Amino acid sequence: METTMQNISIEKTEKTKIDQVDFDNLAFGSVFTDHMLVCDYRNGAWEVPQIMPYQAISLEPSAKIFHYGQSIFEGMKAYKDADEKIWLFRPLENHKRLNISAKRMAIPELPEEFFMDGLKQLIKLDENWIPKKEGSALYIRPFIFATGKGFHASPADEYKFIICLAPSGPYFSGKVKVLIEEKYSRSANGGVGFAKAGGNYAGQFFPTQLAVKKGYQQVIWTDDHNHEFIEEAGAMNIFVRINDTLITAPISDRILDGITRKSILPIAEDEGITTEVRKITVGEVVEAAKNGSLKEMFGAGTAAVISPIATFGYREVDYDLPELESSFASRLKKRIIDIQYNRAEDLFGWRHGV
């Protein structure tokens, strides 16, 4: 065992699995690196994190995660530039949001140094796993779940924080076709839609499966009351371009405060693109599609960065979006990726060296 300045113990794997990986043909989030970070919450405090070989974990059937769903997570990426330097993109925002989710789900908040020091040391240990192919990156999944035992419907007294790493290719490939949802809701006022809680995503799977059977890849979520306002695109924030104005919904109890979303807005401003953060109705989008003023729709999130929408369906009618030579989506995606890979000046101070 080795000990670092932060007293994080490190147990290295006896044999790496890296030679078994085809880095030119990576799926998203299905191959995992040699090591993981684990930190337990017991007796009212977070214990010193440990880095160990990637392995299965053991839980008792009475662990509260199985019964009451106390589980939250984050999504991040690490990148290597042309000089082999490693970079993160706005990692402190991920830590901040993890604790916002933790508070809402009655999970103990995690100290920043445990998150950042543990993350950096884990990435350094597995840095050879960071893909170099354009469009690929090392996906990072920090998560916390309840391990405390008991069938009583109350918060657990023990938790586990884990970070796993997955070299990954693009999240989406090809054109994305989405369906505007009118029956099911992703979240409700006063609920947990703004938190990255596992149950939010589990609740999306069934309506998404129904959409897939109809030939769509994802669902456009609308508000829980009248299904009048567009809110999110699958597991991403959504942007709509009408003429030359880029519009996105304001964050709320129902809408996740996406880090890519909050990065797009200042970049768009710097690009001279007019932006509006306001509610946008389904009717406005449909009318814009009919009269030709709807130029673009795209999802924004860590996994896909920016995912253009080619077609949306609403009430049995499909509306195709125009194919633009120079789209806002491509311009904004390039700006973000160039910052992430250290290929451009970081005007906003978002890039974080490892």
Side-chain angles (χ1 to χ4, degrees), residues 8-267:
I8 297 175
S9 65
I10 300 178
E11 178 189 353
K12 292 184 179 179
T13 186
E14 292 182 2
K15 186 175 183 347
T16 182
K17 310 184 296 283
I18 198 167
D19 57 350
Q20 302 170 23
V21 179
D22 180 1
F23 280 87
D24 289 326
N25 295 287
L26 288 168
F28 183 85
S30 59
V31 174
F32 307 99
T33 67
D34 287 325
H35 300 92
M36 65 184 190
L37 180 137
V38 179
C39 181
D40 287 299
Y41 181 90
R42 298 190 186 100
N43 302 314
W46 287 103
E47 299 177 349
V48 177
Q50 300 177 353
I51 293 175
M52 60 185 69
Y54 181 88
Q55 60 192 266
I57 56 175
S58 177
L59 293 173
E60 294 200 21
S62 56
K64 288 198 172 186
I65 177 57
F66 299 131
H67 308 280
Y68 304 113
Q70 278 183 290
S71 174
I72 58 174
F73 70 95
E74 274 298 319
M76 311 168 64
K77 286 179 179 176
Y79 312 83
K80 264 188 182 174
D81 66 16
D83 297 322
E84 298 285 303
K85 291 181 180 178
I86 304 168
W87 301 95
L88 298 168
F89 184 72
R90 308 190 74 176
L92 294 174
E93 290 293 328
N94 289 100
H95 172 258
K96 177 182 174 183
R97 191 172 62 183
L98 184 76
N99 278 342
I100 288 171
S101 299
K103 186 174 182 179
R104 181 62 181 86
M105 299 301 289
I107 292 173
E109 295 179 40
L110 184 80
E112 181 184 302
E113 62 270 22
F114 283 34
F115 184 91
M116 290 302 299
D117 292 347
L119 174 60
K120 287 183 177 181
Q121 291 187 50
L122 179 62
I123 292 171
K124 285 178 182 176
L125 188 60
D126 281 347
E127 67 172 296
N128 291 336
W129 288 79
I130 302 176
K132 298 175 184 176
K133 185 178 179 181
E134 183 71 25
S136 299
L138 185 69
Y139 186 76
I140 303 164
R141 174 54 60 89
F143 57 107
I144 304 175
F145 60 94
T147 56
K149 302 179 289 294
F151 294 147
H152 189 272
S154 59
D157 57 0
E158 294 183 355
Y159 298 85
K160 195 177 287 286
F161 169 61
I162 296 178
I163 303 178
C164 293
L165 309 176
S168 297
Y171 191 79
F172 288 117
S173 59
K175 295 181 178 180
V176 178
K177 186 177 178 182
V178 300
L179 177 66
I180 294 179
E181 179 58 50
E182 288 195 274
K183 178 179 179 181
Y184 297 98
S185 297
R186 177 187 172 273
S187 58
N189 287 331
V192 297
F194 67 91
K196 282 191 75 73
N200 286 346
Y201 297 80
Q204 294 182 33
F205 294 157
F206 176 66
T208 303
Q209 285 178 336
L210 296 179
V212 168
K213 288 179 181 177
K214 295 178 180 178
Y216 302 90
Q217 282 86 40
Q218 279 291 348
V219 166
I220 295 285
W221 300 105
T222 51
D223 66 283
D224 64 307
H225 187 52
N226 292 322
H227 297 283
E228 180 184 0
F229 297 100
I230 281 178
E231 298 201 325
E232 293 200 359
M236 299 182 288
N237 295 113
I238 188 167
F239 284 81
V240 175
R241 174 185 173 185
I242 296 178
N243 291 318
D244 287 329
T245 300
L246 194 61
I247 309 164
T248 192
I251 59 170
S252 67
D253 284 352
R254 302 185 307 275
I255 298 176
L256 186 73
D257 186 8
I259 292 164
T260 306
R261 173 193 175 277
K262 68 168 66 175
S263 304
I264 285 171
L265 291 169
I267 289 175

